[in-house]
Amino acid sequence: MPEIIRDHLLTCLVFLPLIGAVVLMFMPKPAESPADGHGTHQDSSSPADPRAQAIRWMALLFSLLTFALSLILLFRFHSAKSSYQFVDGPYNWIKQFHVHYYLGIDGISLLLILLTTFLSVLCIGYSFSVKQRVKEFMIFMLVLETGMLGVFCALDLVLFYVFWESMLIPMYFLIGIWGHERRIYAAIKFFIFTFIGSVLMLVAIVALYVKTGSFNLVTLLTPGTQPHHLLSLISPHVLMWMFAAFALAFMIKVPMFPFHTWLPDAHVEAPTAGSVILAGVLLKMGIYGFLRFCLPLFPAQAHQAAPLFLTLAVIGIVYGAIVAAMQPDMKKVVAYSSVSHLGFVMLGIFSLNPLGITGAVLQSINHGVSTGALFFIVGMFYDRKHTRLISAYGGVKRAVPILAAFFLIAMLSSIALPLTNGFVGEFTILQGSFISHTAGWKYTAVATTGMILSAVYMLWMFQRVMYGPLDKEDNRSLPDLVWREKLVLAPLVVLIFWFGCYVTTWTKPLIPTVDSLVSNVGPASIAERRASAASILEGTAGKFAIIPLTRGKLGGK
Amino acid sequence: MIFNWVWLIPALPLFGFLFNAFLGKRVGKTVVGWLASLVVLSGFALSVSVLAALLKLPESERQRIVGLFPGGVVIPWIHIGNFRVNYAALVDPLSLLMCLIVTGVGGLIHVYATGYMAEDQDYARFFTYFNLFIFFMLTLVLAENMLLLFVGWEGVGLCSYLLISFWYEDKNNALAGNKAFIVNRIGDVGFALGMMLIFATFGTLSFYGTAAHPGFLQMAARHISAHGPLLISTATVIGLLLFIGACGKSAQFPLYVWLPDAMAGPTPVSALIHAATMVTAGVVMVSRCSPLITDSATVMIVIASVGCFTAFLAASIGLVQNDIKKVLAYSTVSQLGYMFLGCGVGAFSAGMFHVTTHAFFKGLLFLGAGSVIHALGGEQDMRRMGGLKNRIPITHWTMAAAWFAIAGFPLFSGFWSKDEILGAAYVSPDAGKVLWFVGVVTALMTAFYMSRLMWKTFYTNQRFNEAELGAHGGHGGHGHPGVHESPPSMTVPLIILAALSVCGGFIGSPFMGDAFQRYLAPAVRNTTAMPEGITGTVLVLMVISSLVAVAGILWAMSLYGKRRETGDLIPAAAKAKMGPASPYRFLLNLWYWDALCNKVAIGYGGVLGNSLKWFDTYIVDGVVNTLAWIVGSLASGFRRTQTGFVRNYALTMLIGVVAVVVGMLWGSFHFMFK
């Protein structure tokens, strides 16, 4: 590998898709079909336009290259280290304000980067079915990828903010141009929601700079910096406000109840690839924000606010699941299921222990995989019948058995059946929150009902779509999957079982990062120490009676 | 070393599953059916050889932990901090017993299904699910830790869902599948929470381990011997949570509602779910955790009472059902109640003994019922049966063997196991006599409803029109005209199971020195057992059990013998007059519990869902849209100021300038005259 690439691997990774977008700009525009860009209708297509085909393959090529580059990151990543790796910078960017160009990743960002590059390949591969404005679509997809990758790599707050905002724009257009009926409403709603949060975050970033003189995350977090820990210069009261501003931005992005209503609209109206990226990656940026900024910068505040977040997370789990069950639209069911799943992730984060946070990161990836698969599947239904209404289907398993099989697997992963990815994430989170000193068994018990509710809404939807008599005439002739669609879904299924059966591959780079993150955040309960200490087993016997539960309401002795 | 081959026991059906899933449609039915049966039956052969090796070891060493990958290699599943779970199997008397039942009875059901399903268009899909079912069940019984057990636990739930809704084109089957999965999930929540509490308390989910890393069952036992029952409160909570899980999986009150609906699947599925797999999981799990559960007297009494009550409840419902499979379904619920009664009074061996004999005779009953349904072209309603005794003789004689076994007729297999449970209940301390009495009454009802089933099906006069048979198709319909005995692939399993139903109980009888109980003793922690040998109490209890069984059979015989024409005790006219509170209606409507569950879950659940949906649309999102509207209206208000005329802007500017100047002047005055 050339030295310049090796030394600037992250920069190459982040900007490779952008280069792809620039290349696409110079490619000849395909002849536009007369229809005015309503959705991704297959039937309005003429025989494949070679220029459109060239653009598609070029976009796919660049996304594949980016994915390959991210795999190099995976292989070169030192799993034992908890510090930032592949660090690029800091280089002066805006010298007067000490803004730097500064990239670096740890275990958490590594997994999210892999998810991003992986889903981008699948989305671009799937979007070969897009017929309107192919060139612009692919350009926006690639620009979006650069924005997302930048978010996961940036170690400078301003740089982070720039990437954070820059990925709003292509997403806005993806929803607004290639979306469904109410796309304009959804696009604007998505933009304004996110923007309100991020403006507040900008205020907090600036305030942080004013107080400490640094935008550099590493400097801010190094304990030995002059004169001492920079953040200790700030009064706790001010820190709380800063925490709140950051947290609000991320809560909207996650989204947590009650800031979730942009999500169903955006998910439903976005084109399939947009929904997959939204659910798969964009929501994870909120999760990432909590892990990268809120917890390390404001550990005491995170502790203090944990009950609030845990409560909202648990409400989100139950509420999202119940509302999901009542939706008539398949995409809305999946969208609300995201609210529920992300509730689990937030529960894991605010458990503030290694088990919970590891589970949260795993579940973020899992959610990207399984919800991504579900959105692809709903998109495939839509491509065939131009409706997402559950009532328009029924008994179609007979017509599309392969699609049904993929649907079943994605559904099982979504309802966290053991040996699928969802179970590993969900159970780790629940076990983490159970032994947590912040959450404990009460929150966990409520959250666990999500296990039942997810089965209710998913099974019910599956039954109404797939089972029953095949009584609608036009459903009899629904075509089953073509090879391109199988190629999109198959890798997701592989990941579902890889994560589910052998998660060690993915936890290895993650655990040192999470451990060092948690070690800064606060004290552990006895059960938590029992879970993390290596040699607790001898002499445990005498300590049963003092676990928190026995002291609490359940116990007496 | 034979133990290093244990991994093959679950791996074989997994292979069968994968093969049939990917290639099943291409290779033809013969290959599919035989491969599926063969992988299970070779698992049985392997289990037998492992058992032989285990029995050669001294009793204290009959516990091996081996990996579940080729060569017995242990592979980690989840390692996060101290949360460590491996793919490993616990080979001990309990797990091997279950392996034998699952692969043995399960294998016979597979063979039977090759005949029963022969003409189904989704033959490959059926055996794909069937093998997966066996795989998950074997994972469950072999698991070395709670989490792996949970894999099998949820896995059999999944397979039952897939198989119950196998004929998915009928919406009711699909709904029954959903119900099974969701009700099971309710139990699973309890199980999962129990598991979390185990980890929080002990720091491990393994049952047993090494001296350096003991499993939680060892820690619990060690703790008790060293410190006395200090962890009573924790043990109680763990035990109750796990028992909620067991109630879901093993169909105990109040979560039994899914099992009777589960007969919507093809009959071999019912046999597999009810006899060899799935529903016994709860009993196995409770027995597995017996060293922990027995620490809490509260849990034990709850298990015993719930089991006893369920046995009674389900038997009473079974008295009046008309669908042959439904009678058997409620009888399963009732027999499972017996098993829990045994566990609850501290006789886990007796409970497991009943699991074993029940696998024989209930498997046989369902397969026999399948044969009847097959013969009648899909008819399941006993009101339209009768007179089949000589038409399908093999089915009749084998079912008769199972009938005597389940009724507890002396010397048949069910007699020994049921007697063991009732005896243990009788000698157990708290409320033992009450439990025993209810158990005996239930035994009487059992003998009665099974005899009723036999009379309605075989001995009363024929009540169906032979020409119409199979005309409705039905799912058992195979296009053969007229009543006919089943092919050998179906009757051979019946005969084998009949032999086991007759003789299978002797291994646990006093004649063989309670061999079964002694075999199982190292793996479970019995706190109560019947006195060894044939003493006075034992003999009296045995005589009572025998009399009850014989009385039940004779009673039914005398009643139905007089009504051979209709095969019905209560005339139709009398039935029509009965109100909803009459005993007959009450039983026919399942004590109204099912209806209540449906009303709450579907009725109130729907109301809750719709109100939350309304709340989400009009309150949560409504606030957002209202804010947007306010901003929008303000903006359009301000927009009027942007007229586009230069003179207006000039005027505004002038006002601004004046304001600034005034402000500055005011400021300086203020400064000067301060």
Side-chain angles (χ1 to χ4, degrees):
Chain A
M1 196 189 300
E3 207 167 296
I4 184 145
I5 296 186
R6 201 184 60 208
D7 291 349
H8 304 284
L9 203 53
L10 286 183
T11 305
C12 296
L13 177 80
V14 170
F15 289 101
L16 189 61
L18 194 65
I19 295 172
V22 172
V23 170
L24 285 192
M25 270 181 211
F26 288 102
M27 289 176 75
K29 201 176 164 73
E32 197 55 57
S33 50
D36 57 343
H38 275 279
T40 57
H41 297 191
Q42 273 188 329
D43 46 358
S44 64
S45 66
S46 49
D49 178 352
R51 281 186 284 185
Q53 230 25 35
I55 285 170
R56 288 174 185 136
W57 282 102
M58 186 58 80
L60 186 65
L61 177 73
F62 269 95
S63 66
L64 277 170
L65 282 177
T66 317
F67 180 53
L69 217 50
S70 66
L71 285 181
I72 294 179
L73 286 187
L74 175 66
F75 291 125
R76 298 194 155 200
F77 192 84
H78 290 284
S79 291
K81 282 212 290 196
S82 65
S83 57
Y84 292 107
Q85 306 187 26
F86 305 104
V87 173
D88 201 1
Y91 307 112
N92 279 328
W93 177 18
I94 309 172
K95 212 172 176 184
Q96 295 80 349
F97 297 113
H98 305 101
V99 176
H100 295 104
Y101 176 81
Y102 192 14
L103 303 179
I105 60 169
D106 60 5
I108 299 172
S109 5
L110 176 74
L111 290 190
L112 288 165
I113 285 171
L114 284 168
L115 178 72
T116 308
T117 54
F118 173 73
L119 283 182
S120 295
V121 172
L122 296 186
C123 284
I124 289 179
Y126 177 85
S127 300
F128 274 36
S129 61
V130 170
K131 295 292 185 288
Q132 266 76 39
R133 299 172 184 252
V134 178
K135 185 173 161 181
E136 290 86 341
F137 185 89
M138 293 300 176
I139 289 173
F140 281 131
M141 286 297 287
L142 289 171
V143 173
L144 184 62
E145 191 178 357
T146 286
M148 296 184 297
L149 290 172
V151 164
F152 294 135
C153 292
L155 291 182
D156 183 282
L157 288 172
V158 174
L159 188 64
F160 172 81
Y161 182 78
V162 168
F163 280 124
W164 175 277
E165 291 293 9
S166 71
M167 117 273 127
L168 268 187
I169 298 155
M171 198 67 223
Y172 173 77
F173 284 114
L174 281 174
I175 300 174
I177 299 176
W178 290 272
H180 302 295
E181 300 78 25
R182 294 170 71 222
R183 57 185 182 278
I184 303 293
Y185 170 77
I188 293 175
K189 194 171 182 178
F190 162 75
F191 193 95
I192 291 178
F193 255 95
T194 318
F195 197 67
I196 289 173
S198 41
V199 165
L200 282 173
M201 178 170 74
L202 182 64
V203 172
I205 290 176
V206 171
L208 206 56
Y209 174 73
V210 170
K211 295 279 181 186
T212 64
S214 175
F215 285 122
N216 184 327
L217 190 65
V218 178
T219 319
L220 284 170
L221 289 176
T222 313
T225 336
Q226 271 298 324
H228 37 89
H229 201 309
L230 279 173
L231 293 165
S232 60
L233 300 171
I234 309 171
S235 77
H237 179 71
V238 176
L239 279 176
M240 191 43 125
W241 279 102
M242 291 179 178
F243 169 80
F246 271 103
L248 187 68
F250 300 140
M251 277 165 91
I252 292 174
K253 200 80 184 176
V254 166
M256 289 187 86
F257 178 87
F259 304 112
H260 63 277
T261 52
W262 66 268
L263 177 113
D265 283 312
H267 271 49
V268 168
E269 298 306 323
T272 301
S275 309
V276 172
I277 290 286
L278 255 178
V281 184
L282 260 61
L283 307 188
K284 309 308 146 47
M285 290 170 39
I287 302 296
Y288 179 78
F290 275 107
L291 293 172
R292 175 65 72 241
F293 301 103
C294 279
L295 298 195
L297 288 174
F298 316 103
Q301 287 68 29
H303 251 274
Q304 231 175 313
L308 173 71
F309 283 90
L310 291 166
T311 309
L312 290 180
V314 169
I315 292 177
I317 291 172
V318 176
Y319 179 89
I322 295 177
V323 177
M326 307 314 292
Q327 300 300 327
D329 179 323
M330 280 197 255
K331 229 174 171 180
K332 270 212 162 140
V333 176
V334 183
Y336 274 100
S337 85
S338 289
V339 177
S340 183
H341 283 141
L342 271 296
F344 274 109
V345 177
M346 292 309 296
L347 178 69
I349 289 178
F350 279 90
S351 300
L352 299 176
N353 60 28
L355 210 49
I357 292 182
T358 310
V361 179
L362 287 177
Q363 191 66 351
S364 299
I365 310 289
N366 294 336
H367 175 259
V369 171
S370 50
T371 306
L374 285 172
F375 273 125
F376 278 131
I377 286 163
V378 176
M380 287 166 192
F381 276 116
Y382 187 83
D383 288 345
R384 281 163 175 72
K385 223 186 138 166
H386 306 303
T387 175
R388 301 176 307 262
L389 284 182
I390 295 173
S391 54
Y393 298 89
V396 297
K397 186 180 162 84
R398 191 58 78 197
V400 287
I402 298 175
L403 180 55
F406 278 114
F407 194 178
L408 180 70
I409 293 172
M411 170 185 92
L412 295 176
S413 145
S414 181
I415 64 178
L417 197 88
L419 297 188
T420 65
N421 56 354
F423 175 70
V424 173
E426 204 170 290
F427 190 78
T428 318
I429 288 171
L430 289 170
Q431 181 71 72
S433 80
F434 195 96
I435 60 174
S436 158
H437 59 289
T438 52
W441 66 271
K442 288 175 202 155
Y443 287 105
T444 314
V446 181
T448 313
T449 58
M451 272 176 64
I452 306 170
L453 296 171
S454 67
V456 171
Y457 65 77
M458 274 291 164
L459 255 50
W460 194 30
M461 171 168 82
F462 189 81
Q463 171 240 316
R464 283 178 294 165
V465 172
M466 286 295 174
Y467 292 163
L470 183 54
D471 49 6
K472 297 187 183 64
E473 200 47 51
D474 53 338
N475 283 341
R476 284 176 201 281
S477 54
L478 286 184
D480 210 343
L481 297 187
V482 298
W483 64 270
R484 182 176 53 79
E485 293 169 321
K486 286 185 206 166
L487 274 185
V488 169
L489 292 178
L492 291 167
V493 170
V494 170
L495 276 188
I496 283 175
F497 289 113
W498 188 345
F499 266 89
C501 299
Y502 190 71
V503 76
T504 322
T505 330
W506 310 103
T507 47
K508 220 180 254 170
L510 196 55
I511 288 173
T513 307
V514 172
D515 277 343
S516 81
L517 173 66
V518 173
S519 63
N520 298 327
V521 177
S525 70
I526 293 164
E528 282 172 299
R529 266 181 267 141
R530 191 175 289 156
S532 56
S535 58
I536 47 96
L537 293 158
E538 271 313 299
T540 329
K543 293 182 195 155
F544 290 143
I546 52 168
I547 73 155
L549 186 88
T550 4
R551 269 191 313 188
K553 276 188 188 156
L554 283 175
K557 304 279 164 92
Chain B
M1 227 342 225
I2 188 80
F3 292 109
N4 286 341
W5 290 96
V6 167
W7 64 273
L8 257 182
I9 300 177
L12 281 167
L14 182 65
F15 166 76
F17 157 71
L18 292 173
F19 182 88
N20 280 339
F22 286 105
L23 300 172
K25 275 191 182 163
R26 288 185 210 152
V27 295
K29 286 186 178 178
T30 326
V31 179
V32 168
W34 278 107
L35 181 90
S37 313
L38 213 59
V39 288
V40 180
L41 289 173
S42 26
F44 180 71
L46 195 58
S47 308
V48 171
S49 19
V50 177
L51 177 68
L54 192 79
L55 288 178
K56 282 192 197 125
L57 298 172
E59 210 165 86
S60 57
E61 288 172 32
R62 287 182 190 169
Q63 188 186 69
R64 291 293 169 107
I65 292 169
V66 289
L68 276 174
F69 277 80
V73 176
V74 178
I75 301 247
W77 176 20
I78 306 176
H79 274 194
I80 299 169
N82 206 48
F83 186 78
R84 287 164 172 266
V85 179
N86 294 323
Y87 290 110
L90 174 65
V91 182
D92 74 345
L94 179 62
S95 62
L96 271 185
L97 168 72
M98 284 311 294
C99 279
L100 289 173
I101 296 174
V102 171
T103 52
V105 179
L108 290 175
I109 297 171
H110 271 68
V111 173
Y112 176 93
T114 59
Y116 190 86
M117 300 298 290
E119 275 150 56
D120 200 279
Q121 56 172 335
D122 289 323
Y123 195 77
R125 186 162 64 90
F126 182 82
F127 280 101
T128 307
Y129 295 163
F130 240 42
N131 272 350
L132 188 67
F133 206 134
I134 298 287
F135 162 74
F136 276 125
M137 194 62 201
L138 289 170
T139 310
L140 190 156
V141 300
L142 280 169
E144 178 262 353
N145 54 63
M146 281 306 254
L147 205 66
L148 205 56
L149 193 151
F150 193 64
V151 170
W153 190 266
E154 287 253 284
V156 291
L158 164 71
C159 293
S160 67
Y161 161 74
L162 292 173
L163 283 165
I164 292 165
S165 47
F166 181 76
W167 286 315
Y168 57 84
E169 272 142 352
D170 185 342
K171 189 183 166 193
N172 289 330
N173 296 347
L175 291 177
N178 285 357
K179 186 170 174 182
F181 195 95
I182 290 164
V183 174
N184 265 294
R185 266 273 160 128
I186 296 173
D188 292 354
V189 165
F191 190 107
L193 285 170
M195 206 159 42
M196 291 173 213
L197 182 54
I198 288 176
F199 180 75
T201 313
F202 300 98
T204 177
L205 286 174
S206 293
F207 297 120
Y208 298 98
T210 56
H213 298 281
F216 70 87
L217 295 178
Q218 282 159 306
M219 284 198 235
R222 193 185 299 172
H223 175 87
I224 291 148
S225 62
H227 305 272
L230 244 186
L231 80 161
I232 265 190
S233 54
T234 313
T236 305
V237 179
I238 292 177
L240 289 177
L241 287 170
L242 292 182
F243 184 59
I244 293 175
C247 282
K249 197 66 57 183
S250 290
Q252 295 300 290
F253 183 83
L255 296 179
Y256 70 87
V257 287
W258 66 272
L259 190 64
D261 287 24
M263 42 144 244
T267 306
V269 175
S270 316
L272 198 60
I273 293 178
H274 289 251
T277 62
M278 184 117 179
V279 293
T280 57
V283 188
V284 175
M285 188 268 289
V286 167
S287 305
R288 172 62 80 209
C289 296
S290 54
L292 177 63
I293 285 178
T294 44
D295 289 342
S296 167
T298 319
V299 177
M300 294 298 278
I301 196 72
V302 166
I303 294 180
S305 327
V306 170
C308 193
F309 175 68
T310 310
F312 178 81
L313 168 92
S316 72
I317 294 172
L319 290 173
V320 297
Q321 297 305 312
N322 289 317
D323 185 318
I324 185 167
K325 283 174 79 179
K326 217 157 200 171
V327 177
L328 294 178
Y330 279 102
S331 126
T332 303
V333 177
S334 171
Q335 297 297 311
L336 286 165
Y338 272 119
M339 297 171 203
F340 279 105
L341 171 60
C343 293
V345 297
F348 294 93
S349 294
M352 286 307 299
F353 188 26
H354 202 54
V355 167
T356 313
T357 57
H358 180 257
F360 301 149
F361 60 71
K362 187 50 65 63
L364 175 53
L365 283 170
F366 264 107
L367 295 187
S371 186
V372 169
I373 295 165
H374 180 92
L376 296 178
E379 183 59 72
Q380 300 195 8
D381 193 331
M382 292 192 295
R383 284 170 294 192
R384 288 191 290 276
M385 292 184 182
L388 291 173
K389 183 181 166 211
N390 296 319
R391 309 293 298 277
I392 43 174
I394 303 178
T395 307
H396 163 244
W397 282 110
T398 50
M399 273 188 88
W403 162 38
F404 274 64
I406 192 176
F409 197 82
L411 305 187
F412 281 68
S413 61
F415 169 74
W416 298 112
S417 52
K418 197 183 284 182
D419 198 48
E420 194 81 15
I421 289 171
L422 291 176
Y426 188 81
V427 298
S428 75
D430 328 298
K433 307 284 188 294
V434 179
L435 295 172
W436 172 81
F437 180 73
V438 178
V440 169
V441 173
T442 307
L444 180 69
M445 293 198 288
T446 309
F448 184 85
Y449 70 69
M450 282 313 299
S451 312
R452 170 177 174 269
L453 181 144
M454 290 302 285
W455 251 276
K456 280 193 166 228
T457 313
F458 293 108
Y459 306 137
T460 47
N461 295 353
Q462 181 174 326
R463 291 182 301 282
F464 55 89
N465 184 351
E466 200 153 345
E468 286 172 15
L469 282 186
H472 321 287
H475 291 307
H478 298 266
H480 304 305
V483 177
H484 55 281
E485 183 59 276
S486 302
S489 60
M490 289 165 69
T491 49
V492 171
L494 289 180
I495 293 166
I496 298 175
L497 285 173
L500 287 169
S501 301
V502 177
C503 319
F506 282 107
I507 46 166
S509 70
F511 300 128
M512 306 250 309
D514 295 311
F516 184 90
Q517 288 81 341
R518 278 191 285 115
Y519 161 77
L520 209 57
V524 295
R525 181 158 174 253
N526 290 319
T527 52
T528 315
M530 267 181 62
E532 294 253 338
I534 306 174
T535 60
T537 324
V538 178
L539 211 57
V540 171
L541 291 176
M542 259 188 202
V543 169
I544 295 177
S545 296
S546 315
L547 287 179
V548 162
V550 175
I553 292 170
L554 289 177
W555 185 26
M557 195 162 129
S558 65
L559 287 175
Y560 283 95
K562 283 183 227 150
R563 296 173 178 80
R564 282 180 192 277
E565 282 303 315
T566 57
D568 220 347
L569 292 187
I570 312 169
K575 274 184 196 169
K577 274 186 220 149
M578 290 182 184
S582 69
Y584 175 75
R585 292 267 165 226
F586 183 68
L587 294 180
L588 192 68
N589 290 311
L590 326 172
W591 290 37
Y592 298 105
W593 176 246
D594 223 48
L596 184 71
C597 288
N598 282 343
K599 186 157 174 64
V600 171
I602 296 167
Y604 296 122
V607 170
L608 174 71
N610 278 323
S611 23
L612 280 189
K613 188 183 168 205
W614 180 88
F615 178 78
D616 199 62
T617 317
Y618 295 101
I619 306 295
V620 182
D621 207 27
V623 169
V624 173
N625 285 331
T626 312
L627 277 178
W629 178 81
I630 292 172
V631 171
S633 343
L634 283 179
S636 56
F638 287 131
R639 193 178 58 195
R640 303 229 173 83
T641 61
Q642 309 293 316
T643 52
F645 295 112
V646 177
R647 58 171 188 273
N648 287 4
Y649 293 137
L651 182 66
T652 320
M653 213 155 64
L654 187 67
I655 295 171
V657 168
V658 170
V660 169
V661 169
V662 169
M664 283 167 77
L665 289 173
W666 173 251
S668 33
F669 284 132
H670 194 71
F671 180 72
M672 284 192 302
F673 303 110
K674 192 165 67 173

